[in-house]
Amino acid sequence: MFDYAIKFILLILFFGVMVGIGLYCRRHATDVSGFVLGGRSVGPWLTAFAYGTSYFSAVVFVGYAGQFGWKYGVAATWAGLGNAFLGSLLAWVVLGRRTRVMTQHLDSATMPEFFGKRFESQSLKLCASAIIFIFLIPYTASLYNGLSRLFAMAFSIDYSVCVVVMAVLTAVYVIAGGYMATAINDFIQGIIMLAGIAAVILAVLHSQGGFLAALEKLAQVKGESSVPGVYASFFGPDPVNLLGVVILTSLGTWGLPQMVQKFYAIKSETAISKGTVISTLFALVVAGGCYFLGGFGRLFADRMDVVDGVPAGGYDAVIPAMLSGLPAALIAVVVILVLSASMSTLSSLVLASSSTLTLDFIKGNIIKNMDEKRQVRWMRGLVVVFIAISVVLALIQYKSSVTFIAQLMGVSWGALAGAFLAPFLYGLYWKRTTTAACWVSFLFSTAVMLANIFVRSSFPALLQSPINAGAFCMIAGLVIVPAVSLVTPAPDRRRLESVFACYERRVTVTVRDSIGEQNQH
């Protein structure tokens, strides 16, 4: 009884703080810029933590850490390192400043709006908006799925209740406070994630006699591999497929609208420099820690029924099994950790989706004249709609056990990042990028990922995995966009000079090198 009391008290306190911050931030969410971007005045700590907490959710902690830790052993830690250095550090360095400068110059608040104004194509904007709405849905369903395993382990509460409560509370603080409430809550949730990951790793390793003892035990596990010690080795049993995981989970952030949109809201040049360092360190601890922890999953095989080398409850059962023997207080911390990760990502997804549908699809197309207040009302209403759809899908998926978490995320990330990464990146840097190249990238990746869902068996063996297929789409886009751009008519030169003039505007130096502190507008 005392154990349950600890868990419930911590949960109530956590939810109370989240809702309180949402209500406190209402004054920041009265217009479109305030609701979607926090008035483009968000500092480095909030931006970096918002980026990191949107990046890592229950999908990573429960789904990916369990699945890839089981498959690759401690070599799965490479995925965490890729997330830190490719998905965070390099993304900030390559995209951060240019995204902030050009999106403000074009007055775009969403990724589809950027495409529409950068390439002067209303249909391109509408297509990007539709892709975002369709492919963010399986991602949100996967967030709830990760929670189901932990709540089943920690509480005697029906999973449906947990999903509804989480969804309602997330909706309350996003609707009330918009991006600023999300950013502040992300900061608090990020601190919980950092402390929780560190505590869980120490506790799990301690239960196996410490790091060296656990590594030695892991080296003795044969599993499905005939190579001795392979699960404790540098590259693990399957480095080729591990590389696919690293590419999908790291390079993918460069093309995900809910991630890139964080750069739109950065306050200043100093915030970019600090945010780059903070975000990278956050990813090192959280992603590196998750995959490192999952790498020891096979040491807890005695707590699971393993059939043909796979846990009977699927790979999603690995992490909950590892945590099941921890003290009640630490399990409560883990539940709040995963709630934090999932709610921060969910809030980011619904904000990206509602703003995209309102600003890029409804405004000017379905409703011709929408003032600021009406746009904000529509966005708030669509937050409710999007969360409701994701809840229904999550409950259907949970009861029918459609698929593993990792596969849901692979499909979503593959389609979104495959479609958007190359057009967005080249659009920021290369004047010769054409509208036709964007269309080909959009259609290629969505077609490949949809085919991967419905006719997966016809794919080459390596690409039957949604993760590898998604990684393939991202890499292919980087080749397709320049190739198509070079064989299609060049864009209007005068228009391009106007778009890229933003990088030549003078502050102390050119904006190519600094956003500047005194030139915000």
Side-chain angles (χ1 to χ4, degrees):
M1 189 67 182
F2 179 69
D3 290 352
Y4 279 109
I6 292 174
K7 296 170 187 173
F8 278 113
I9 289 169
L10 286 174
L11 274 178
I12 291 168
L13 181 64
F14 170 76
F15 286 139
V17 170
M18 298 300 106
V19 173
I21 288 170
L23 297 175
Y24 171 77
C25 291
R26 281 178 299 175
R27 59 193 174 90
H28 292 285
T30 55
D31 59 15
V32 171
S33 177
F35 188 80
V36 179
L37 301 173
R40 295 188 191 266
S41 61
V42 183
W45 284 91
L46 293 185
T47 301
F49 271 66
Y51 185 90
T53 53
S54 298
Y55 196 164
F56 308 116
S57 64
V59 175
V60 172
F61 186 74
V62 178
Y64 273 23
Q67 175 168 344
F68 302 127
W70 184 271
K71 285 185 174 182
Y72 309 124
V74 291
T77 309
W78 281 108
L81 296 176
N83 293 176
F85 294 109
L86 181 58
S88 295
L89 175 63
L90 203 58
W92 276 74
V93 170
V94 175
L95 298 179
R97 181 185 292 114
R98 286 219 165 213
T99 298
R100 171 63 169 77
V101 172
M102 188 177 280
T103 56
Q104 185 175 22
H105 177 66
L106 296 175
D107 192 26
S108 61
T110 66
M111 186 177 272
E113 194 171 17
F114 168 83
F115 287 126
K117 292 184 175 179
R118 166 66 178 84
F119 297 101
E120 290 189 295
S121 173
Q122 179 73 3
S123 56
L124 197 67
K125 182 178 81 167
L126 293 174
C127 180
S129 177
I131 292 170
I132 288 172
F133 185 70
I134 292 167
F135 285 99
L136 282 185
I137 290 174
Y139 189 10
T140 52
S142 70
L143 298 180
Y144 299 111
N145 191 324
L147 288 171
S148 67
R149 306 283 183 169
L150 287 174
F151 271 95
M153 176 192 74
F155 297 97
S156 298
I157 302 176
D158 184 66
Y159 169 64
S160 303
V161 175
C162 299
V163 168
V164 171
V165 169
M166 172 188 157
V168 168
L169 292 171
T170 303
V172 167
Y173 78 72
V174 174
I175 290 168
Y179 182 82
M180 188 60 77
T182 300
I184 294 174
N185 274 328
D186 286 349
F187 180 71
I188 295 170
Q189 291 162 347
I191 292 172
I192 293 170
M193 289 165 68
L194 289 171
I197 289 290
V200 168
I201 289 173
L202 290 173
V204 169
L205 291 179
H206 178 72
S207 72
Q208 296 293 323
F211 171 61
L212 292 177
L215 201 61
E216 188 176 338
K217 291 179 184 177
L218 193 62
Q220 296 167 6
V221 174
K222 286 187 177 181
E224 297 75 61
S225 175
S226 58
V227 181
V230 70
Y231 295 106
S233 67
F234 200 63
F235 289 118
D238 189 1
V240 174
N241 280 303
L242 177 58
L243 180 62
V245 175
V246 173
I247 292 172
L248 179 85
T249 61
S250 303
L251 197 59
T253 59
W254 294 41
L256 293 177
Q258 74 273 18
M259 302 295 297
V260 173
Q261 208 160 309
K262 301 295 185 289
F263 298 132
Y264 289 33
I266 299 172
K267 183 179 182 180
S268 66
E269 175 68 23
T270 305
I272 290 179
S273 302
K274 290 181 180 177
T276 302
V277 175
I278 297 164
S279 177
T280 304
L281 293 175
F282 182 89
L284 265 177
V285 175
V286 175
C290 283
Y291 288 110
F292 175 75
L293 176 69
F296 293 94
R298 286 182 179 269
L299 298 183
F300 297 83
D302 57 329
R303 298 182 185 178
M304 299 171 273
D305 293 325
V306 180
V307 181
D308 295 328
V310 179
Y315 295 114
D316 304 343
V318 174
I319 296 295
M322 294 176 71
L323 305 177
S324 60
L326 298 180
L330 196 52
I331 288 179
V333 170
V334 172
V335 170
I336 293 174
L337 180 163
V338 177
L339 265 176
S340 297
S342 298
M343 289 177 71
S344 59
T345 305
L346 178 64
S347 64
S348 179
L349 294 176
V350 298
L351 194 58
S353 184
S354 66
S355 59
T356 290
L357 274 183
T358 301
L359 301 177
D360 304 324
F361 199 84
I362 297 172
K363 178 188 172 186
N365 295 297
I366 297 174
I367 300 176
K368 297 298 181 184
N369 298 310
M370 289 183 81
D371 59 25
E372 292 262 331
K373 289 186 177 179
R374 194 175 186 187
Q375 290 172 47
V376 173
R377 284 199 300 270
W378 266 93
M379 283 188 277
R380 285 180 163 139
L382 286 170
V383 166
V384 175
V385 171
F386 191 74
I387 285 183
I389 292 171
S390 67
V391 166
V392 170
L393 287 177
L395 294 177
I396 292 171
Q397 192 266 327
Y398 172 70
K399 290 178 180 178
S400 61
S401 299
V402 174
T403 186
F404 293 137
I405 295 174
Q407 274 65 42
L408 277 175
M409 182 177 168
V411 169
S412 176
W413 277 46
L416 290 165
F420 299 143
L421 189 159
F424 188 78
L425 177 62
Y426 286 113
L428 290 176
Y429 278 89
W430 192 35
K431 295 179 181 180
R432 187 65 175 77
T433 311
T434 64
T435 305
C438 295
W439 275 112
V440 174
S441 181
F442 285 11
L443 297 174
F444 175 81
S445 290
T446 51
V448 168
M449 295 313 297
L450 286 172
N452 189 265
I453 296 172
F454 297 111
V455 289
R456 183 171 298 164
S457 59
S458 62
F459 275 59
L462 186 65
L463 297 182
Q464 287 185 10
S465 160
I467 292 156
N468 290 343
F472 167 73
C473 288
M474 291 176 209
I475 301 298
L478 294 173
V479 177
I480 287 170
V481 170
V484 175
S485 293
L486 290 173
V487 298
T488 49
D492 180 69
R493 181 175 292 275
R494 282 181 295 179
R495 161 67 182 166
L496 287 177
E497 292 303 325
S498 171
V499 169
F500 280 82
C502 61
Y503 296 133
E504 304 302 331
R505 179 172 57 86
R506 289 283 172 176
V507 281
T508 305
V509 292
T510 62
V511 180
R512 187 185 293 112
D513 302 308
S514 173
I515 287 175
E517 305 291 339
Q518 305 299 323
N519 291 272
Q520 309 300 314
H521 57 81

